[in-house]
């Protein structure tokens, strides 16, 4: 599966964007490229790339940019200027983990002119197990609202339908049916189908790249 120098990951709140961003950055790193994650989520106080920044760097040499260290745990809109380094770098790849919904995608708009001139792809992550993106119509509505807020076009769809640790093959297949219909209506191609690693051997051939996912995000109650 090919990848661009810049990958922008967007979607509805709770779709699993951060897990996709982390695993995709690992995939790029394992392909022999230097890569960093740009944490642009200034909306959600949980499930942010910055929460596992030490593990990412210690294990794979992946840095998390976007929020200054002193503001790492603050729920404030404090975006670092080091984002421009990721945008303009000629050698390093970057995966942007963008906040959920149109509100979370709005900060991306200030970089839209730079992104449009770069080798970039915008992945719209879909989880039909979320109540507000449970069918074709609602997914398309959310996709359009994020495009409008970020002033940037989605280039690919990602079926990331899941229930965290409780995900089944049936969940993935249900999501795939919806995502294929969204692709048919919008003309936006499907980039990949994410599958929790332990389910890899149970998922049938869907005609699209299967992307293994390891889970890194933990809820506050899981950390207790």
């Amino acid at each position: 599966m090919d990848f661009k120098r810049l990958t922008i990951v967007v979607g509805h709140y709770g779709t699993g964007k951060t897990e996709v961003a982390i695993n995709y950055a690992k995939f790029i790193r394992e392909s022999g490229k230097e890569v960093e994650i740009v944490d642009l989520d200034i909306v959600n106080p949980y499930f942010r790339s910055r929460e596992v920044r030490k593990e990412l760097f210690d294990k794979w040499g992946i840095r998390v940019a976007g929020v200054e260290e002193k503001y790492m745990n603050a729920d404030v809109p404090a975006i670092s200027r080091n984002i421009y380094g990721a945008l303009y770098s000629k050698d390093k790849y970057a995966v942007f983990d963008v906040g959920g919904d149109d509100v979370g995608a709005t900060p991306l708009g200030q970089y839209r002119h730079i992104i449009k001139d770069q080798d970039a792809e915008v992945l719209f992550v879909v989880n039909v197990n979320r109540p507000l993106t449970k069918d074709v119509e609602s997914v398309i509505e959310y996709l359009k609202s994020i495009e409008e807020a970020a002033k940037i076009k989605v280039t690919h769809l990602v079926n990331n339908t899941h229930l965290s640790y409780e995900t089944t093959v049936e969940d993935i297949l249900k999501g795939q049916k919806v995502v294929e219909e969204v692709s048919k209506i919008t003309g936006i191609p499907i980039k990949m189908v994410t599958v929790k690693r332990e389910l890899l051997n149970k998922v049938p051939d869907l005609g699209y790249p299967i992307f293994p996912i390891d889970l890194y995000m933990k809820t506050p109650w899981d950390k207790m």
Side-chain angles (χ1 to χ4, degrees):
M1 187 169 62
D2 65 336
F3 50 85
K4 302 294 187 180
R5 195 188 72 77
L6 297 181
T7 302
I8 319 296
V9 183
V10 299
H12 174 39
Y13 170 77
T15 54
K17 299 181 308 302
T18 296
E19 297 285 17
V20 171
I22 290 173
N23 282 272
Y24 203 68
K26 275 182 55 187
F27 165 67
I28 294 173
R29 185 73 186 93
E30 290 167 353
S31 300
K33 304 294 185 182
E34 247 195 286
V35 62
E36 64 183 341
I37 296 175
V38 178
D39 187 344
L40 266 187
D41 191 346
I42 60 173
V43 176
N44 182 19
Y46 307 116
F47 310 115
R48 298 179 293 194
S49 304
R50 71 196 75 161
E51 305 295 334
V52 291
R53 64 195 305 164
K54 186 177 187 304
E55 179 181 359
L56 289 171
F57 182 74
D58 290 348
K59 288 187 176 181
W60 301 287
I62 299 173
R63 294 186 181 277
V64 177
V67 177
E68 299 288 359
E69 187 77 27
K70 61 183 177 180
Y71 296 126
M72 189 184 78
N73 295 311
D75 189 22
V76 294
I79 300 177
S80 170
R81 286 177 292 182
N82 61 17
I83 288 176
Y84 289 98
L87 288 169
Y88 285 113
S89 174
K90 298 297 182 183
D91 304 312
K92 185 180 292 185
Y93 288 67
V95 178
F96 282 68
D97 179 14
V98 180
D101 300 341
D102 52 344
V103 175
T106 298
L108 185 64
Q110 65 186 298
Y111 309 109
R112 65 188 184 278
H113 299 301
I114 303 172
I115 292 170
K116 287 178 181 178
D117 293 333
Q118 301 288 323
D119 183 27
E121 62 183 356
V122 181
L123 307 183
F124 182 77
V125 179
V126 179
N127 178 5
V128 304
N129 282 334
R130 297 296 295 173
L132 297 181
T133 53
K134 63 183 180 180
D135 52 33
V136 173
E137 292 74 19
S138 58
V139 170
I140 292 176
E141 181 181 353
Y142 257 96
L143 187 154
K144 290 181 177 178
S145 70
I146 287 174
E147 285 185 329
E148 183 176 350
K151 309 301 181 188
I152 197 168
K153 290 293 184 182
V154 169
T155 64
H156 294 86
L157 304 172
V158 175
N159 175 18
N160 189 50
T161 299
H162 68 92
L163 284 172
S164 188
Y165 294 99
E166 306 301 321
T167 305
T168 65
V169 173
E170 288 69 29
D171 290 314
I172 297 167
L173 298 180
K174 178 177 70 172
Q176 188 63 17
K177 183 177 180 181
V178 171
V179 172
E180 288 184 5
E181 186 64 20
V182 171
S183 177
K184 181 179 178 181
I185 293 172
T186 63
I188 301 172
I190 298 172
K191 176 76 174 183
M192 59 190 179
V193 181
T194 66
V195 176
K196 199 168 59 165
R197 193 172 295 276
E198 51 265 41
L199 294 178
L200 281 177
N201 295 329
K202 299 179 181 180
V203 176
D205 182 8
L206 298 175
Y208 299 93
I210 299 294
F211 187 73
I213 287 282
D214 295 306
L215 302 182
Y216 294 94
M217 296 291 100
K218 295 184 183 296
T219 62
W221 48 92
D222 286 331
K223 298 177 184 178
M224 297 176 64

PDB file of all heavy atoms in Angstrom, residues 30-56:
ATOM      1  N   GLU A  30       8.083   1.603   9.454  1.00  0.00           N
ATOM      2  CA  GLU A  30       8.553   0.260   9.126  1.00  0.00           C
ATOM      3  C   GLU A  30       8.889   0.116   7.650  1.00  0.00           C
ATOM      4  O   GLU A  30       9.572  -0.838   7.255  1.00  0.00           O
ATOM      5  CB  GLU A  30       7.495  -0.761   9.541  1.00  0.00           C
ATOM      6  CG  GLU A  30       7.371  -0.905  11.052  1.00  0.00           C
ATOM      7  CD  GLU A  30       6.136  -1.657  11.488  1.00  0.00           C
ATOM      8  OE1 GLU A  30       5.290  -1.971  10.609  1.00  0.00           O
ATOM      9  OE2 GLU A  30       5.998  -1.931  12.689  1.00  0.00           O
ATOM     10  N   SER A  31       8.429   1.076   6.847  1.00  0.00           N
ATOM     11  CA  SER A  31       8.776   1.099   5.425  1.00  0.00           C
ATOM     12  C   SER A  31      10.116   1.785   5.190  1.00  0.00           C
ATOM     13  O   SER A  31      10.538   1.943   4.046  1.00  0.00           O
ATOM     14  CB  SER A  31       7.678   1.801   4.623  1.00  0.00           C
ATOM     15  OG  SER A  31       6.438   1.126   4.766  1.00  0.00           O
ATOM     16  N   GLY A  32      10.752   2.241   6.281  1.00  0.00           N
ATOM     17  CA  GLY A  32      12.083   2.824   6.189  1.00  0.00           C
ATOM     18  C   GLY A  32      12.120   4.337   6.111  1.00  0.00           C
ATOM     19  O   GLY A  32      13.176   4.916   5.850  1.00  0.00           O
ATOM     20  N   LYS A  33      10.981   4.987   6.351  1.00  0.00           N
ATOM     21  CA  LYS A  33      10.921   6.446   6.269  1.00  0.00           C
ATOM     22  C   LYS A  33      10.902   7.062   7.669  1.00  0.00           C
ATOM     23  O   LYS A  33      10.355   6.482   8.599  1.00  0.00           O
ATOM     24  CB  LYS A  33       9.673   6.898   5.508  1.00  0.00           C
ATOM     25  CG  LYS A  33       9.538   6.309   4.119  1.00  0.00           C
ATOM     26  CD  LYS A  33      10.635   6.785   3.191  1.00  0.00           C
ATOM     27  CE  LYS A  33      10.401   6.263   1.772  1.00  0.00           C
ATOM     28  NZ  LYS A  33      11.499   6.682   0.857  1.00  0.00           N
ATOM     29  N   GLU A  34      11.498   8.241   7.778  1.00  0.00           N
ATOM     30  CA  GLU A  34      11.354   9.011   9.018  1.00  0.00           C
ATOM     31  C   GLU A  34       9.967   9.627   9.042  1.00  0.00           C
ATOM     32  O   GLU A  34       9.514  10.204   8.049  1.00  0.00           O
ATOM     33  CB  GLU A  34      12.418  10.110   9.081  1.00  0.00           C
ATOM     34  CG  GLU A  34      13.450   9.899  10.177  1.00  0.00           C
ATOM     35  CD  GLU A  34      14.243  11.151  10.457  1.00  0.00           C
ATOM     36  OE1 GLU A  34      15.097  11.470   9.629  1.00  0.00           O
ATOM     37  OE2 GLU A  34      13.990  11.791  11.503  1.00  0.00           O
ATOM     38  N   VAL A  35       9.286   9.535  10.160  1.00  0.00           N
ATOM     39  CA  VAL A  35       7.914  10.025  10.223  1.00  0.00           C
ATOM     40  C   VAL A  35       7.622  10.575  11.612  1.00  0.00           C
ATOM     41  O   VAL A  35       8.198  10.122  12.606  1.00  0.00           O
ATOM     42  CB  VAL A  35       6.912   8.883   9.872  1.00  0.00           C
ATOM     43  CG1 VAL A  35       7.013   7.743  10.861  1.00  0.00           C
ATOM     44  CG2 VAL A  35       5.486   9.409   9.794  1.00  0.00           C
ATOM     45  N   GLU A  36       6.756  11.564  11.664  1.00  0.00           N
ATOM     46  CA  GLU A  36       6.275  12.073  12.936  1.00  0.00           C
ATOM     47  C   GLU A  36       4.763  12.206  12.883  1.00  0.00           C
ATOM     48  O   GLU A  36       4.172  12.277  11.799  1.00  0.00           O
ATOM     49  CB  GLU A  36       6.918  13.413  13.291  1.00  0.00           C
ATOM     50  CG  GLU A  36       6.593  14.545  12.348  1.00  0.00           C
ATOM     51  CD  GLU A  36       7.335  15.829  12.728  1.00  0.00           C
ATOM     52  OE1 GLU A  36       7.783  15.946  13.876  1.00  0.00           O
ATOM     53  OE2 GLU A  36       7.457  16.701  11.852  1.00  0.00           O
ATOM     54  N   ILE A  37       4.143  12.210  14.048  1.00  0.00           N
ATOM     55  CA  ILE A  37       2.708  12.430  14.147  1.00  0.00           C
ATOM     56  C   ILE A  37       2.482  13.868  14.592  1.00  0.00           C
ATOM     57  O   ILE A  37       3.113  14.331  15.546  1.00  0.00           O
ATOM     58  CB  ILE A  37       2.065  11.470  15.161  1.00  0.00           C
ATOM     59  CG1 ILE A  37       2.203  10.028  14.673  1.00  0.00           C
ATOM     60  CG2 ILE A  37       0.587  11.811  15.367  1.00  0.00           C
ATOM     61  CD1 ILE A  37       1.692   8.998  15.676  1.00  0.00           C
ATOM     62  N   VAL A  38       1.606  14.562  13.904  1.00  0.00           N
ATOM     63  CA  VAL A  38       1.239  15.924  14.288  1.00  0.00           C
ATOM     64  C   VAL A  38      -0.124  15.861  14.959  1.00  0.00           C
ATOM     65  O   VAL A  38      -1.133  15.556  14.323  1.00  0.00           O
ATOM     66  CB  VAL A  38       1.205  16.867  13.072  1.00  0.00           C
ATOM     67  CG1 VAL A  38       0.776  18.265  13.509  1.00  0.00           C
ATOM     68  CG2 VAL A  38       2.561  16.922  12.396  1.00  0.00           C
ATOM     69  N   ASP A  39      -0.151  16.113  16.251  1.00  0.00           N
ATOM     70  CA  ASP A  39      -1.382  16.050  17.031  1.00  0.00           C
ATOM     71  C   ASP A  39      -2.100  17.395  16.921  1.00  0.00           C
ATOM     72  O   ASP A  39      -1.716  18.373  17.549  1.00  0.00           O
ATOM     73  CB  ASP A  39      -1.039  15.741  18.491  1.00  0.00           C
ATOM     74  CG  ASP A  39      -2.277  15.493  19.343  1.00  0.00           C
ATOM     75  OD1 ASP A  39      -3.382  15.848  18.898  1.00  0.00           O
ATOM     76  OD2 ASP A  39      -2.131  14.949  20.449  1.00  0.00           O
ATOM     77  N   LEU A  40      -3.159  17.411  16.115  1.00  0.00           N
ATOM     78  CA  LEU A  40      -3.942  18.635  15.922  1.00  0.00           C
ATOM     79  C   LEU A  40      -5.268  18.583  16.667  1.00  0.00           C
ATOM     80  O   LEU A  40      -6.163  19.381  16.373  1.00  0.00           O
ATOM     81  CB  LEU A  40      -4.212  18.860  14.430  1.00  0.00           C
ATOM     82  CG  LEU A  40      -3.249  19.753  13.650  1.00  0.00           C
ATOM     83  CD1 LEU A  40      -3.778  19.984  12.237  1.00  0.00           C
ATOM     84  CD2 LEU A  40      -3.046  21.096  14.335  1.00  0.00           C
ATOM     85  N   ASP A  41      -5.399  17.645  17.600  1.00  0.00           N
ATOM     86  CA  ASP A  41      -6.656  17.515  18.332  1.00  0.00           C
ATOM     87  C   ASP A  41      -6.652  18.451  19.539  1.00  0.00           C
ATOM     88  O   ASP A  41      -6.016  18.170  20.555  1.00  0.00           O
ATOM     89  CB  ASP A  41      -6.836  16.072  18.791  1.00  0.00           C
ATOM     90  CG  ASP A  41      -8.252  15.817  19.327  1.00  0.00           C
ATOM     91  OD1 ASP A  41      -8.970  16.805  19.582  1.00  0.00           O
ATOM     92  OD2 ASP A  41      -8.621  14.648  19.478  1.00  0.00           O
ATOM     93  N   ILE A  42      -7.366  19.551  19.412  1.00  0.00           N
ATOM     94  CA  ILE A  42      -7.473  20.502  20.520  1.00  0.00           C
ATOM     95  C   ILE A  42      -8.893  20.512  21.090  1.00  0.00           C
ATOM     96  O   ILE A  42      -9.285  21.421  21.813  1.00  0.00           O
ATOM     97  CB  ILE A  42      -7.084  21.927  20.083  1.00  0.00           C
ATOM     98  CG1 ILE A  42      -8.003  22.414  18.955  1.00  0.00           C
ATOM     99  CG2 ILE A  42      -5.625  21.989  19.649  1.00  0.00           C
ATOM    100  CD1 ILE A  42      -7.801  23.863  18.584  1.00  0.00           C
ATOM    101  N   VAL A  43      -9.670  19.460  20.756  1.00  0.00           N
ATOM    102  CA  VAL A  43     -11.059  19.389  21.193  1.00  0.00           C
ATOM    103  C   VAL A  43     -11.262  18.311  22.248  1.00  0.00           C
ATOM    104  O   VAL A  43     -11.860  18.546  23.295  1.00  0.00           O
ATOM    105  CB  VAL A  43     -11.996  19.117  19.987  1.00  0.00           C
ATOM    106  CG1 VAL A  43     -13.432  18.949  20.459  1.00  0.00           C
ATOM    107  CG2 VAL A  43     -11.900  20.253  18.985  1.00  0.00           C
ATOM    108  N   ASN A  44     -10.764  17.115  21.973  1.00  0.00           N
ATOM    109  CA  ASN A  44     -11.012  15.971  22.842  1.00  0.00           C
ATOM    110  C   ASN A  44      -9.943  15.840  23.931  1.00  0.00           C
ATOM    111  O   ASN A  44      -8.759  15.738  23.615  1.00  0.00           O
ATOM    112  CB  ASN A  44     -11.030  14.688  21.988  1.00  0.00           C
ATOM    113  CG  ASN A  44     -11.319  13.449  22.798  1.00  0.00           C
ATOM    114  OD1 ASN A  44     -11.853  13.526  23.908  1.00  0.00           O
ATOM    115  ND2 ASN A  44     -10.962  12.298  22.250  1.00  0.00           N
ATOM    116  N   PRO A  45     -10.317  15.799  25.201  1.00  0.00           N
ATOM    117  CA  PRO A  45      -9.327  15.667  26.271  1.00  0.00           C
ATOM    118  C   PRO A  45      -8.786  14.245  26.423  1.00  0.00           C
ATOM    119  O   PRO A  45      -7.849  14.016  27.175  1.00  0.00           O
ATOM    120  CB  PRO A  45     -10.101  16.086  27.522  1.00  0.00           C
ATOM    121  CG  PRO A  45     -11.514  15.746  27.205  1.00  0.00           C
ATOM    122  CD  PRO A  45     -11.678  16.005  25.733  1.00  0.00           C
ATOM    123  N   TYR A  46      -9.380  13.283  25.717  1.00  0.00           N
ATOM    124  CA  TYR A  46      -8.934  11.893  25.793  1.00  0.00           C
ATOM    125  C   TYR A  46      -8.549  11.389  24.403  1.00  0.00           C
ATOM    126  O   TYR A  46      -8.872  11.992  23.386  1.00  0.00           O
ATOM    127  CB  TYR A  46     -10.049  10.990  26.356  1.00  0.00           C
ATOM    128  CG  TYR A  46     -10.609  11.481  27.663  1.00  0.00           C
ATOM    129  CD1 TYR A  46     -11.936  11.890  27.758  1.00  0.00           C
ATOM    130  CD2 TYR A  46      -9.817  11.533  28.801  1.00  0.00           C
ATOM    131  CE1 TYR A  46     -12.461  12.338  28.961  1.00  0.00           C
ATOM    132  CE2 TYR A  46     -10.329  11.984  30.015  1.00  0.00           C
ATOM    133  CZ  TYR A  46     -11.651  12.386  30.082  1.00  0.00           C
ATOM    134  OH  TYR A  46     -12.159  12.836  31.269  1.00  0.00           O
ATOM    135  N   PHE A  47      -7.869  10.241  24.356  1.00  0.00           N
ATOM    136  CA  PHE A  47      -7.547   9.566  23.105  1.00  0.00           C
ATOM    137  C   PHE A  47      -6.781  10.453  22.133  1.00  0.00           C
ATOM    138  O   PHE A  47      -7.144  10.588  20.976  1.00  0.00           O
ATOM    139  CB  PHE A  47      -8.826   9.040  22.425  1.00  0.00           C
ATOM    140  CG  PHE A  47      -9.709   8.250  23.334  1.00  0.00           C
ATOM    141  CD1 PHE A  47     -10.962   8.702  23.675  1.00  0.00           C
ATOM    142  CD2 PHE A  47      -9.271   7.056  23.878  1.00  0.00           C
ATOM    143  CE1 PHE A  47     -11.786   7.976  24.537  1.00  0.00           C
ATOM    144  CE2 PHE A  47     -10.083   6.322  24.739  1.00  0.00           C
ATOM    145  CZ  PHE A  47     -11.340   6.780  25.066  1.00  0.00           C
ATOM    146  N   ARG A  48      -5.701  11.065  22.617  1.00  0.00           N
ATOM    147  CA  ARG A  48      -4.886  11.925  21.769  1.00  0.00           C
ATOM    148  C   ARG A  48      -3.494  11.313  21.615  1.00  0.00           C
ATOM    149  O   ARG A  48      -2.963  10.680  22.531  1.00  0.00           O
ATOM    150  CB  ARG A  48      -4.795  13.331  22.368  1.00  0.00           C
ATOM    151  CG  ARG A  48      -6.156  14.012  22.478  1.00  0.00           C
ATOM    152  CD  ARG A  48      -6.080  15.387  23.101  1.00  0.00           C
ATOM    153  NE  ARG A  48      -5.688  15.337  24.504  1.00  0.00           N
ATOM    154  CZ  ARG A  48      -5.813  16.375  25.339  1.00  0.00           C
ATOM    155  NH1 ARG A  48      -6.323  17.517  24.897  1.00  0.00           N
ATOM    156  NH2 ARG A  48      -5.433  16.277  26.594  1.00  0.00           N
ATOM    157  N   SER A  49      -2.888  11.531  20.466  1.00  0.00           N
ATOM    158  CA  SER A  49      -1.571  10.961  20.184  1.00  0.00           C
ATOM    159  C   SER A  49      -0.552  11.337  21.241  1.00  0.00           C
ATOM    160  O   SER A  49       0.343  10.551  21.572  1.00  0.00           O
ATOM    161  CB  SER A  49      -1.075  11.436  18.806  1.00  0.00           C
ATOM    162  OG  SER A  49      -1.995  11.122  17.805  1.00  0.00           O
ATOM    163  N   ARG A  50      -0.676  12.551  21.775  1.00  0.00           N
ATOM    164  CA  ARG A  50       0.294  13.025  22.763  1.00  0.00           C
ATOM    165  C   ARG A  50       0.331  12.143  24.009  1.00  0.00           C
ATOM    166  O   ARG A  50       1.323  12.140  24.731  1.00  0.00           O
ATOM    167  CB  ARG A  50      -0.022  14.474  23.136  1.00  0.00           C
ATOM    168  CG  ARG A  50      -1.275  14.651  23.964  1.00  0.00           C
ATOM    169  CD  ARG A  50      -1.774  16.076  23.995  1.00  0.00           C
ATOM    170  NE  ARG A  50      -2.421  16.442  22.755  1.00  0.00           N
ATOM    171  CZ  ARG A  50      -3.250  17.472  22.617  1.00  0.00           C
ATOM    172  NH1 ARG A  50      -3.494  18.257  23.640  1.00  0.00           N
ATOM    173  NH2 ARG A  50      -3.802  17.736  21.460  1.00  0.00           N
ATOM    174  N   GLU A  51      -0.755  11.396  24.263  1.00  0.00           N
ATOM    175  CA  GLU A  51      -0.810  10.551  25.454  1.00  0.00           C
ATOM    176  C   GLU A  51       0.207   9.412  25.412  1.00  0.00           C
ATOM    177  O   GLU A  51       0.596   8.882  26.459  1.00  0.00           O
ATOM    178  CB  GLU A  51      -2.223   9.968  25.618  1.00  0.00           C
ATOM    179  CG  GLU A  51      -3.340  10.993  25.660  1.00  0.00           C
ATOM    180  CD  GLU A  51      -3.261  11.908  26.877  1.00  0.00           C
ATOM    181  OE1 GLU A  51      -2.692  11.470  27.897  1.00  0.00           O
ATOM    182  OE2 GLU A  51      -3.756  13.044  26.803  1.00  0.00           O
ATOM    183  N   VAL A  52       0.623   9.004  24.221  1.00  0.00           N
ATOM    184  CA  VAL A  52       1.575   7.885  24.097  1.00  0.00           C
ATOM    185  C   VAL A  52       2.858   8.335  23.404  1.00  0.00           C
ATOM    186  O   VAL A  52       3.552   7.542  22.784  1.00  0.00           O
ATOM    187  CB  VAL A  52       0.938   6.693  23.349  1.00  0.00           C
ATOM    188  CG1 VAL A  52      -0.153   6.054  24.188  1.00  0.00           C
ATOM    189  CG2 VAL A  52       0.383   7.125  21.994  1.00  0.00           C
ATOM    190  N   ARG A  53       3.172   9.618  23.515  1.00  0.00           N
ATOM    191  CA  ARG A  53       4.326  10.154  22.795  1.00  0.00           C
ATOM    192  C   ARG A  53       5.630   9.495  23.233  1.00  0.00           C
ATOM    193  O   ARG A  53       6.512   9.252  22.404  1.00  0.00           O
ATOM    194  CB  ARG A  53       4.400  11.679  22.948  1.00  0.00           C
ATOM    195  CG  ARG A  53       4.636  12.170  24.365  1.00  0.00           C
ATOM    196  CD  ARG A  53       4.324  13.656  24.494  1.00  0.00           C
ATOM    197  NE  ARG A  53       5.054  14.462  23.538  1.00  0.00           N
ATOM    198  CZ  ARG A  53       4.750  15.716  23.234  1.00  0.00           C
ATOM    199  NH1 ARG A  53       3.706  16.290  23.811  1.00  0.00           N
ATOM    200  NH2 ARG A  53       5.459  16.391  22.378  1.00  0.00           N
ATOM    201  N   LYS A  54       5.771   9.164  24.520  1.00  0.00           N
ATOM    202  CA  LYS A  54       7.005   8.547  24.997  1.00  0.00           C
ATOM    203  C   LYS A  54       7.172   7.144  24.414  1.00  0.00           C
ATOM    204  O   LYS A  54       8.259   6.766  23.954  1.00  0.00           O
ATOM    205  CB  LYS A  54       7.028   8.481  26.521  1.00  0.00           C
ATOM    206  CG  LYS A  54       8.354   7.988  27.096  1.00  0.00           C
ATOM    207  CD  LYS A  54       8.350   7.999  28.611  1.00  0.00           C
ATOM    208  CE  LYS A  54       9.731   7.669  29.166  1.00  0.00           C
ATOM    209  NZ  LYS A  54      10.238   6.364  28.669  1.00  0.00           N
ATOM    210  N   GLU A  55       6.095   6.366  24.426  1.00  0.00           N
ATOM    211  CA  GLU A  55       6.145   5.015  23.872  1.00  0.00           C
ATOM    212  C   GLU A  55       6.464   5.046  22.382  1.00  0.00           C
ATOM    213  O   GLU A  55       7.273   4.247  21.893  1.00  0.00           O
ATOM    214  CB  GLU A  55       4.809   4.305  24.101  1.00  0.00           C
ATOM    215  CG  GLU A  55       4.770   2.892  23.539  1.00  0.00           C
ATOM    216  CD  GLU A  55       3.432   2.207  23.754  1.00  0.00           C
ATOM    217  OE1 GLU A  55       2.532   2.824  24.370  1.00  0.00           O
ATOM    218  OE2 GLU A  55       3.286   1.055  23.322  1.00  0.00           O
ATOM    219  N   LEU A  56       5.851   5.959  21.660  1.00  0.00           N
ATOM    220  CA  LEU A  56       6.088   6.069  20.215  1.00  0.00           C
ATOM    221  C   LEU A  56       7.549   6.376  19.909  1.00  0.00           C
ATOM    222  O   LEU A  56       8.136   5.814  18.989  1.00  0.00           O
ATOM    223  CB  LEU A  56       5.188   7.153  19.618  1.00  0.00           C
ATOM    224  CG  LEU A  56       3.696   6.819  19.535  1.00  0.00           C
ATOM    225  CD1 LEU A  56       2.899   8.052  19.141  1.00  0.00           C
ATOM    226  CD2 LEU A  56       3.465   5.698  18.538  1.00  0.00           C
TER     227      LEU A  56
END
